[in-house]
Amino acid sequence: MYSIDAGLYWMLPGPRGFVHKISTRISKARVLVVNLPKATVPGTRDGIVRGLRDAHIKDPILLIIRSGTDIANDVGVHFGGQRMTAAQLAAYQAPAETAVVLQAEDDKAQTMCEQYTEEFMAATGYSHGNVHLVASIHDKGHQGDSEIGNVQLITFDGGLNTDEMDAYVALRMADRTGPGTTRLLRSIVSEFASFDAQFAERLLHLDDSQILAIRDHLSVLLGEDPDRWRTLAWLSGTTSIVTQTPHVLHDFYLSEYGTVRQKSDAKERIARRYWRACLKVISPWLEERRREVIKHFYPQLRQIAANDPNGGIPVPVGKDKYRYVDPQDVELNNIAGLYGDHKIITTSEDERKALKICWSTKPVRDDIAHLRAPSTANLVQLISEMDALVLL
């Protein structure tokens, strides 16, 4: 498992907001329950402790509970040395407001922590101590936050929304652009990582060619932990509360082993990720360079416009229909069409390079315009040809 950049991750709004929830809600809760998936984001426990300290609980007590642990005994060590039941802890008046954080290390310990927490919750109805209890649960049925009496429930799975993932990947790949003068690698990583920062780190460790051909590499990534991705389950991290879209590796599993309908839907979602990456990067990249390509044909275009009674370049808009545009507004696709109609010619090496770019642009732009994911080969060819002629 690849670790996240914790310093960067915990600065993002969602993770930072989780810490803020801890700090604001502990003040009005004797019991704070944090609902987490089985696989938590690194630093989650530290985030809880940080939230408690932000609430001026200076020295929260973090207890690691294992299957053989006597929780009452471990708690008592911090409060005078005597064994302390949940009911006794609920009534205890410490010199300063404090909190006990229970962290279970296995399933049996989790059951013990939940039992201790339930007993503490019951005792708060008639006890008025100043010790807070913080415990975690793993419950797929609670996908939000709630408040019941003296109990606050916060759900956190570590998922990043689209803007947060874009920011995370952009900073992690700040010194790694490409291919060529594009930032397509970053966009692909961001789209395919979706909500999962740890998976983003895994993708960052692929080489450029593997990221570009990520759709062909998903089988290798799936094979690194195949059992996890078979089921759509919040507890195992194949889905998140920040999005309705499943993890891409669950989608890839369905595309290989699902029903006919599941295969079709999953393949479409995977393709849509690649399409979005190209839409965000390749479309503006092409537009930024369009005039630098078209300028090689300006003399011929101006002559066509001068000879046309409508004073413009005829651009097809349907069968036997045209609109007339200024030479500077001609699209790359239009150049290919004008060449095919023998209205322009190539007489120089730059013109031949520019025409080749126009031909290479068409399949890529057509795919993007029709919500399809362009082929990797077409993208590489277009970017290579464009950078050979235009370097902004």
Side-chain angles (χ1 to χ4, degrees):
M1 180 66 72
Y2 288 79
S3 183
I4 62 170
D5 183 324
L8 171 58
Y9 174 87
W10 288 99
M11 287 176 61
L12 295 170
R16 193 173 68 242
F18 167 66
V19 175
H20 181 68
K21 283 182 183 179
I22 297 292
S23 67
T24 56
R25 299 196 179 195
I26 193 66
S27 62
K28 52 184 177 181
R30 291 295 308 282
V31 182
L32 183 61
V33 178
V34 184
N35 190 22
L36 303 168
K38 293 288 182 69
T40 58
V41 174
T44 297
R45 299 294 175 182
D46 292 338
I48 293 173
V49 172
R50 191 180 313 126
L52 295 174
R53 287 176 176 156
D54 289 347
H56 307 294
I57 297 176
K58 294 183 179 180
D59 297 306
I61 299 163
L62 178 60
L63 300 180
I64 308 299
I65 308 302
R66 299 177 176 84
S67 57
T69 300
D70 181 341
I71 297 178
N73 193 57
D74 280 15
V75 170
V77 168
H78 297 273
F79 297 97
Q82 299 297 317
R83 190 173 184 277
M84 184 169 286
T85 66
Q88 290 170 329
L89 181 64
Y92 189 83
Q93 284 287 340
E97 190 174 28
T98 190
V100 174
V101 183
L102 302 180
Q103 179 178 338
E105 288 287 278
D106 52 50
D107 289 342
K108 184 176 180 181
Q110 180 65 36
T111 300
M112 294 161 51
C113 288
E114 291 177 6
Q115 181 178 353
Y116 193 91
T117 302
E118 290 171 1
E119 292 172 359
F120 185 94
M121 288 167 55
T124 59
Y126 54 83
S127 300
H128 305 286
N130 64 348
V131 178
H132 303 268
L133 184 64
V134 181
S136 61
I137 59 172
H138 308 295
D139 188 342
K140 64 182 179 180
H142 290 89
Q143 297 293 298
D145 301 340
S146 60
E147 176 181 355
I148 304 175
N150 285 327
V151 180
Q152 291 278 337
L153 173 68
I154 298 173
T155 299
F156 180 70
D157 61 24
L160 300 179
N161 65 32
T162 300
D163 291 337
E164 290 169 338
M165 183 58 76
D166 284 346
Y168 183 87
V169 171
L171 288 171
R172 292 289 289 123
M173 299 182 71
D175 59 349
R176 186 180 177 190
T177 58
T181 56
T182 74
R183 293 178 175 83
L184 184 57
L185 295 176
R186 296 180 191 174
S187 190
I188 292 171
V189 169
S190 182
E191 287 294 337
F192 277 74
S194 184
F195 59 85
D196 188 346
Q198 287 182 278
F199 189 59
E201 290 291 336
R202 177 66 185 93
L203 296 178
L204 290 172
H205 283 78
L206 299 176
D207 63 36
D208 292 0
S209 63
Q210 290 172 323
I211 294 175
L212 270 180
I214 187 63
R215 291 167 291 180
D216 299 326
H217 200 67
L218 291 176
S219 60
V220 175
L221 298 172
L222 177 73
E224 293 175 354
D225 188 8
D227 291 340
R228 178 183 176 186
W229 307 112
R230 292 175 181 172
T231 306
L232 186 65
W234 180 76
L235 289 177
S236 61
T238 57
T239 186
S240 170
I241 59 177
V242 303
T243 179
Q244 297 297 314
T245 304
H247 197 288
V248 69
L249 290 185
H250 175 68
D251 268 341
F252 183 75
Y253 178 85
L254 292 180
S255 75
E256 294 286 300
Y257 306 109
T259 64
V260 173
R261 179 61 182 273
Q262 286 175 329
K263 287 181 178 180
S264 175
D265 290 347
K267 287 177 181 178
E268 173 62 24
R269 286 192 294 269
I270 292 171
R272 188 59 63 92
R273 292 173 187 268
Y274 207 89
W275 169 78
R276 281 197 302 267
C278 294
L279 178 67
K280 289 193 295 186
V281 172
I282 298 301
S283 292
W285 179 83
L286 281 172
E287 186 57 31
E288 186 179 15
R289 287 156 178 75
R290 178 180 61 85
R291 289 191 178 184
E292 292 297 311
V293 176
I294 300 295
K295 73 179 184 181
H296 296 285
F297 299 102
Y298 278 161
Q300 296 184 67
L301 293 172
R302 292 190 184 105
Q303 189 61 48
I304 294 172
N307 294 335
D308 192 281
N310 295 284
I313 307 299
V315 174
V317 291
K319 187 177 181 180
D320 300 325
K321 293 183 179 180
Y322 296 86
R323 63 185 177 91
Y324 294 85
V325 301
D326 186 272
Q328 290 194 349
D329 295 327
V330 169
E331 297 290 342
L332 299 177
N333 284 0
N334 302 146
I335 293 294
L338 290 167
Y339 181 85
D341 291 338
H342 307 291
K343 293 181 178 179
I344 61 174
I345 61 173
T346 58
T347 58
S348 70
E349 183 61 25
D350 282 347
E351 285 176 344
R352 282 187 283 274
K353 287 181 178 179
L355 178 62
K356 197 172 183 183
I357 289 169
C358 295
W359 283 336
S360 297
T361 296
K362 189 177 189 318
V364 172
R365 180 165 269 174
D366 285 353
D367 279 339
I368 293 175
H370 293 91
L371 309 185
R372 296 190 299 261
S375 77
T376 302
N378 286 344
L379 284 167
V380 171
Q381 179 177 331
L382 171 60
I383 293 166
S384 176
E385 291 172 356
M386 182 71 81
D387 285 352
L389 180 68
V390 180
L391 283 174
L392 297 182

